[in-house]
Amino acid sequence: MLQHPQVKGPGVGLLGFSKGAEVSLAMAAFLKNILAVASLNAPVAVTAIPLSYKNKIIPTVALHEHKAKATNSKFLDYSDGMDDPFQAPGDQSRIPLEKGEAQLLFMVGQDDCVVKSEYHATEVCKLLQAQGKKNFQILSYPGTGHCIDPPFFPLYHIGSHPVFHKRAALGGELRAYSKAQVHAWSQIQAFFKKYLIVN
């Protein structure tokens, strides 16, 4: 990416959602030249496929389908199905964000029914702060589910769980989701302008 003629450098920014944000956070932990990551409703632990980088392998966090809860719509809320990445044994799967230097913007929906994204972001920022780091920010959106799309995308209440391959509740309420879309998009742009554009 740094060789691309439209990339000014000296580094790049990453925008990721869900598993894509998990991968973006892992890149920030291990790769140089990642200056900024905007993470939308990401777990901060490795899911589904072990992460392998050089001689390091991070195992996947355990997922428990039996911990899913039925919602009012009769679809399943899987947010409690993942081992806690801040306690054993889940902590062996946590992405070591303290190793990276990138600026981190965590955007989380308080009604995320796939990942406890607000909890993940809050706890990882506590760890970073305890190590004297200040390279993080959390934007938390009430009434917003797993999807935080660009403005004017339709709200999807239901999706397919990426691991269990079953219909899953994604969470969110239309008005709150619509407001979050507009706010989040402006914040993402401002974040990248602040940390990527060299004057």
Side-chain angles (χ1 to χ4, degrees), residues 17 144-158 170-175 177-178 181:
F17 159 68
T144 303
H146 190 61
C147 297
I148 303 177
D149 298 303
F152 314 115
F153 271 57
L155 171 62
Y156 292 97
H157 293 283
I158 307 301
L170 300 178
E173 176 273 313
L174 183 58
R175 181 181 292 273
Y177 164 76
S178 298
Q181 284 179 316

Side-chain angles (χ1 to χ4, degrees), residues 58 61 83-95:
I58 300 178
V61 68
D83 275 354
D84 188 332
F86 302 96
Q87 297 181 22
D91 58 350
Q92 64 183 344
S93 302
R94 188 177 57 78
I95 297 165

Side-chain angles (χ1 to χ4, degrees), residues 1 15-16 18 48 76 78 85 106 138 146 152 158 160 168-169 177 194:
M1 286 300 295
L15 169 62
S18 194
L76 294 175
Y78 286 96
F106 294 97
I138 300 174
H146 190 61
F152 314 115
I158 307 301
S160 178
Y177 164 76
K194 181 175 181 179

Side-chain angles (χ1 to χ4, degrees), residues 11-29:
V12 296
L14 303 173
L15 169 62
F17 159 68
S18 194
K19 178 69 175 178
E22 173 196 318
V23 172
S24 297
L25 292 171
M27 290 173 70

